[in-house]
Amino acid sequence: MAKRQCTRKTEASKSTAKAAKKADEKPQIHLSLMDDPWLEPVKDAVLARYLRYQDKLKELESYYPTFIDFAGQYKYLGLNYSEEDHGWYLREWAPNARTIYMFGDFNNWNRSANPLTKKDNGIWEIFLDDATYADKLVHGSLYKLIIYGADGTIMDRIPAYTKRAVQDEQTKVFSAQVWKPEEKFSWSRKKFHAPKNEPLLIYECHIGMAQEKEGVGTYKEFEENVLPHIIKGGYNTIQIMAIAEHPYYGSFGYHVSNFYAPSSRFGTPEELKHLVKTAHDNGIRVIMDIVHSHTVKNTSEGINRLDGTDDLYTHPGGRGDHPQWDSKLFNYGKNEVIQFLLSNIRYWMEEFHFDGFRFDGVSSMLYFHHGMIGDATYDQWKYFCDGVEFDAITYLQLANKLIKLINPEAISIAEDVSGMPGLTTPLEDGGMGFDFRLGMGIPDFWIKILKEQTDEQWNVYQIWGVLNDRLPQVKTIAYAESHDQALVGDKTIAFRLMDKDMYFDMADNRQNPVIDRGIALHKMLRAFTIVNGGQAYMNFMGNEFGHPEWIDFPREGNGWSYQHARRQWSLLEKGFLRYHFLNDFDEALIKLIKQYPVMQDLYGQQLNMDQANQTICEKKGNLIFVFNFHPTACIPDYTFYVPDAGVYKLILNSDDKQFGGFGRIEGDGEYFSQEKNGVQTLSIYNVNRSVLVFKKVRD
């Protein structure tokens, strides 16, 4: 293939041009990512990507004592109290604004009494001293800005760096709020250390819809009612969605308006901190679903057109619009935007002790087409040249650099389906520095075969291939379904399997072939996913016990109902319903994965691929797994190859009655390997729609 010059579809930034020039000079830098023979045609582009990151890092470090200091802008901009000067400073970056005033209940909402003064670098400032405002600007006070914009608009705005925003219940209008409680929150722990020698086991959750009541749940309710369930289930990480304030609840938290304000609809900042602290006290890390891929269009609540221009935080014109998401796109080539987003990362890590982030919409960030084209060709140029948003890649590299500087144990996860090379490669090796990527093709595959194929058509080679379709160096989080698969218009896997029968036949004293099939396959899909899909695992709350129906937040189209924006825990807690069988199996499966090095082993060893009986036998870690997907085939004395001679014991059986199965294999008896045709074999009762797990107990 002839070499092609990497070019931008828009004017290159200075750092990009500098990196390209350095790449042409071919500096003596070896990056392990360049050792990939598939990337040979784009070696110069790989190097240029690394040099852009290095140049930008050096540039940003030149402005402040350290890179971490550069990411501390939240301590300067916004509303901050000065113990030294005895008063409040409010500062706003709005270089093109004509005039700015601060007003609120502290000045009886007088719109012209407190003007800000324009300082250097486009920053406006006002100081409100205690001598005048000590009994007026107090904890809980409401305030806003009036900004006379460059475009002639006069608008009431919320500061970009505000740490608290609240909505009036009657008018539905948001205001910034002074937050300075008398008692400062105490973490009482120097540093949290996540459990060692365990795979990452994520419980994805949403605070507001975590409760059974038809309404919005709180941080406190989650801590009291849901966190104990997560602890009992064995998960070691919770991933919380919708933390940053968002004006429309139904956006699931993805249209962020106030990036530094934990959503007040769920409670106070201290209650969020207490939730994180309690999780830490129970050995559970807490990561945040962070949205740096776009921002809400709203001008009343958000940062769009804050100074009256369309290019303050976002790209100007059409490039600043995301047509599919109806939102605005950040300009990652602008240092002030980089500082806004990096400071946001530091803020959540230092102020709330989050242990890392799941970066939403990474595919959208990486390309000018936002990942919306259906190009399935494997062309190196599309990852390093054609249509690639270089500045976004550099920002994500800087973000991962900062995360590890603040906390080397922190975790960063990329929601990317594009297959960007080097996504989880360390920065020093030429990569982007993420710890994990989401295995987004896995749930799509399960949904596809459930929709389009009969059970008899399931192909074990296809199932094996899809679940193992990843590069060994790309650490992947496997999941059978997340919140995405159950959003309105779709269903949870349990509901797809059992549908309306779940309303009538989930009692454990009733027999229904639809329910029997659904429970059996629900367990199998999860087991095969966690065993084969990656080095980590994720489950969305409630799906571990087969939550029915779908997720639908209150909106005009459903009469603003909360009926489907909640989790029906009572289905699990009522012991006579079969939901508890699925939950019991999930607990046993998680316990097994934590106890044995299954996920640490990159790929399973095929022992027998039997399409006729739709059975897969494999060794993963030090365990033997037998997956029988067949609708009816139960085979006595089913014999297959095992690598090691010895005595094996059945340690997990999804068909056991304690997991809602038929109990066709009694007990956990021992199985002796036998030599057959010069190899060791094991003979078992291979029952349909089940997963059996064996462990060698002695020679």
Side-chain angles (χ1 to χ4, degrees):
M1 180 184 292
K3 287 194 175 181
R4 187 187 319 177
Q5 180 66 33
C6 277
T7 57
R8 291 291 293 269
K9 305 246 170 147
T10 60
E11 183 181 357
S13 65
K14 290 181 180 179
S15 61
T16 298
K18 186 177 179 182
K21 184 174 184 297
K22 280 194 172 186
D24 290 339
E25 295 168 358
K26 293 181 173 57
Q28 298 301 309
I29 299 175
H30 177 75
L31 306 170
S32 66
L33 187 62
M34 296 167 65
D35 294 335
D36 185 345
W38 188 74
L39 297 178
E40 176 65 31
V42 290
K43 268 193 171 183
D44 289 347
V46 174
L47 179 59
R49 186 170 85 176
Y50 175 77
L51 293 176
R52 281 193 295 271
Y53 155 67
Q54 285 289 316
D55 285 348
K56 180 57 70 173
L57 180 60
K58 290 176 183 176
E59 179 189 350
L60 301 181
E61 287 178 329
S62 70
Y63 300 140
Y64 288 80
T66 68
F67 182 49
I68 292 180
D69 290 323
F70 173 81
Q73 194 74 330
Y74 68 90
K75 298 182 179 182
Y76 182 74
L77 292 180
L79 184 67
N80 292 287
Y81 185 79
S82 171
E83 299 286 352
E84 181 179 352
D85 296 335
H86 305 288
W88 293 92
Y89 281 99
L90 176 63
R91 301 184 182 95
E92 190 70 31
W93 177 59
N96 300 295
R98 297 176 181 177
T99 309
I100 301 180
Y101 293 91
M102 179 183 180
F103 71 116
D105 52 19
F106 71 95
N107 69 359
N108 296 316
W109 299 98
N110 187 320
R111 300 174 67 86
S112 59
N114 295 92
L116 277 68
T117 302
K118 193 172 185 180
K119 301 291 186 179
D120 297 332
N121 301 320
I123 293 176
W124 297 73
E125 178 184 285
I126 186 174
F127 178 67
L128 303 171
D129 62 273
D130 286 348
T132 306
Y133 295 99
D135 59 345
K136 299 176 182 178
L137 197 63
V138 297
H139 174 66
S141 294
L142 301 179
Y143 68 95
K144 300 187 84 167
L145 299 176
I146 304 171
I147 298 182
Y148 290 69
D151 57 355
T153 58
I154 304 172
M155 297 189 67
D156 296 354
R157 304 301 298 260
I158 295 176
Y161 282 78
T162 190
K163 301 176 183 69
R164 176 79 171 169
V166 295
Q167 186 177 32
D168 185 276
E169 291 186 7
Q170 277 70 46
T171 66
K172 304 303 179 184
V173 173
F174 276 86
S175 298
Q177 186 176 44
V178 176
W179 199 256
K180 192 175 183 293
E182 290 185 10
E183 187 175 344
K184 187 176 180 180
F185 185 84
S186 174
W187 288 96
S188 70
R189 176 194 291 272
K190 289 186 178 180
K191 189 175 182 181
F192 167 72
H193 295 283
K196 301 292 185 183
N197 303 318
E198 286 185 4
L200 187 68
L201 300 168
I202 302 173
Y203 197 87
E204 184 189 32
C205 50
H206 182 286
I207 298 296
M209 64 170 289
Q211 305 306 311
E212 182 144 4
K213 68 182 182 184
E214 293 191 33
V216 180
T218 67
Y219 301 121
K220 189 174 181 180
E221 288 172 328
F222 186 94
E223 179 184 333
E224 293 176 350
N225 302 325
V226 183
L227 188 58
H229 173 75
I230 300 171
I231 296 168
K232 182 175 181 292
Y235 291 88
N236 56 28
T237 304
I238 58 175
Q239 176 183 304
I240 310 181
M241 309 170 62
I243 290 296
E245 191 61 86
H246 44 290
Y248 180 45
Y249 186 47
S251 75
F252 229 137
Y254 289 123
H255 277 192
V256 175
S257 53
N258 312 113
F259 286 77
Y260 289 81
S263 182
S264 59
R265 58 171 58 87
F266 305 140
T268 68
E270 285 67 37
E271 288 169 341
L272 173 57
K273 291 176 182 179
H274 198 276
L275 165 59
V276 175
K277 178 181 178 295
T278 303
H280 284 172
D281 289 343
N282 286 276
I284 296 177
R285 65 170 68 81
V286 185
I287 59 179
M288 176 180 171
D289 198 341
I290 200 165
V291 184
H292 283 181
S293 48
H294 61 135
T295 182
V296 71
K297 278 186 174 179
N298 303 33
T299 52
S300 297
E301 299 90 3
I303 59 177
N304 183 27
R305 304 187 69 90
L306 191 66
D307 68 349
T309 66
D310 69 343
D311 64 348
L312 184 65
Y313 285 97
T314 63
H315 287 291
R319 187 179 170 189
D321 295 326
H322 197 302
Q324 286 82 12
W325 295 349
D326 192 32
S327 55
K328 301 296 292 184
L329 297 168
F330 286 109
N331 181 355
Y332 304 104
K334 208 169 184 178
N335 286 349
E336 293 87 352
V337 175
I338 294 175
Q339 190 168 39
F340 176 77
L341 297 173
L342 291 180
S343 296
N344 192 235
I345 287 172
R346 180 180 172 187
Y347 169 75
W348 291 115
M349 292 185 73
E350 292 195 345
E351 298 297 321
F352 290 86
H353 290 207
F354 279 103
D355 304 297
F357 304 94
R358 178 262 201 190
F359 282 79
D360 176 71
V362 169
S363 296
S364 175
M365 298 171 69
L366 296 179
Y367 311 95
F368 291 110
H369 55 68
H370 309 305
M372 297 298 176
I373 61 173
D375 182 8
T377 60
Y378 288 90
D379 180 354
Q380 300 93 327
W381 302 101
K382 75 175 183 179
Y383 294 121
F384 289 93
C385 306
D386 299 338
V388 178
E389 173 62 279
F390 296 147
D391 291 332
I393 291 177
T394 300
Y395 164 68
L396 290 169
Q397 290 172 307
L398 293 168
N400 283 316
K401 171 74 172 178
L402 178 67
I403 290 169
K404 295 301 184 183
L405 282 174
I406 296 173
N407 180 6
E409 296 181 13
I411 292 168
S412 67
I413 301 166
E415 186 201 33
D416 174 48
V417 74
S418 74
M420 171 63 76
L423 188 75
T424 61
T425 302
L427 296 169
E428 60 271 19
D429 293 331
M432 292 176 62
F434 284 100
D435 294 296
F436 295 91
R437 63 110 184 177
L438 289 175
M440 299 174 69
I442 298 173
D444 291 344
F445 170 70
W446 289 131
I447 295 297
K448 181 179 176 63
I449 65 172
L450 286 172
K451 281 183 176 180
E452 300 178 2
Q453 298 180 14
T454 65
D455 294 359
E456 291 80 4
Q457 292 174 318
W458 288 19
N459 186 296
V460 295
Y461 293 96
Q462 182 189 34
I463 292 172
W464 177 273
V466 171
L467 269 291
N468 286 279
D469 184 17
R470 62 185 183 279
L471 296 172
Q473 68 272 25
V474 180
K475 294 176 71 175
T476 300
I477 297 174
Y479 60 106
E481 58 182 327
S482 68
H483 68 278
D484 283 330
Q485 282 66 47
L487 287 172
V488 63
D490 214 326
K491 307 173 182 179
T492 63
I493 283 182
F495 202 53
R496 184 167 298 283
L497 286 166
M498 296 175 275
D499 209 74
K500 64 181 183 299
D501 291 67
M502 297 185 79
Y503 296 131
F504 310 108
D505 287 317
M506 285 298 283
D508 58 13
N509 62 352
R510 295 177 67 90
Q511 292 298 313
N512 180 317
V514 173
I515 298 298
D516 292 340
R517 168 186 177 266
I519 287 179
L521 289 180
H522 193 275
K523 291 179 289 186
M524 287 197 72
L525 266 57
R526 274 164 167 68
F528 200 84
T529 298
I530 198 170
V531 170
N532 290 289
Q535 295 83 24
Y537 178 72
M538 183 177 72
N539 167 68
F540 182 69
M541 65 177 182
N543 289 347
E544 68 278 9
F545 65 84
H547 204 284
E549 301 180 327
W550 56 88
I551 297 170
D552 186 10
F553 278 80
R555 55 188 173 85
E556 188 175 2
N558 65 14
W560 302 103
S561 170
Y562 288 88
Q563 172 66 26
H564 296 291
R566 60 193 182 111
R567 297 283 90 178
Q568 299 181 61
W569 302 103
S570 61
L571 297 175
L572 168 62
E573 293 159 358
K574 293 174 181 176
F576 59 87
L577 295 179
R578 298 174 75 177
Y579 294 96
H580 78 88
F581 291 132
L582 297 178
N583 188 77
D584 292 343
F585 180 75
D586 193 78
E587 288 185 7
L589 185 62
I590 294 295
K591 182 179 180 181
L592 178 92
I593 294 299
K594 291 170 73 171
Q595 187 174 356
Y596 299 98
V598 175
M599 302 190 83
Q600 293 87 331
D601 194 359
L602 287 179
Y603 300 103
Q605 176 187 356
Q606 291 183 3
L607 305 180
N608 191 32
M609 299 290 285
D610 178 1
Q611 179 57 33
N613 293 301
Q614 291 178 292
T615 293
I616 297 174
C617 305
E618 65 172 305
K619 180 181 180 183
K620 188 85 186 292
N622 57 355
L623 302 179
I624 303 293
F625 295 86
V626 179
F627 295 91
N628 181 342
F629 291 97
H630 201 281
T632 58
C634 298
I635 308 104
D637 297 322
Y638 187 83
T639 302
F640 61 96
Y641 160 74
V642 290
D644 304 308
V647 181
Y648 291 80
K649 186 175 182 180
L650 180 62
I651 61 173
L652 183 64
N653 172 13
S654 69
D655 190 57
D656 197 299
K657 288 185 177 180
Q658 66 172 316
F659 303 131
F662 292 101
R664 289 168 289 182
I665 301 174
E666 294 184 1
D668 54 359
E670 294 184 339
Y671 297 77
F672 294 79
S673 69
Q674 296 180 347
E675 185 175 333
K676 187 175 182 180
N677 298 325
V679 298
Q680 292 296 318
T681 62
L682 205 63
S683 292
I684 65 169
Y685 183 21
N686 182 17
V687 297
N688 71 308
R689 288 181 179 151
S690 72
V691 52
L692 307 176
V693 186
F694 299 88
K695 176 190 175 183
K696 181 182 172 182
V697 291
R698 63 181 184 274
D699 293 330

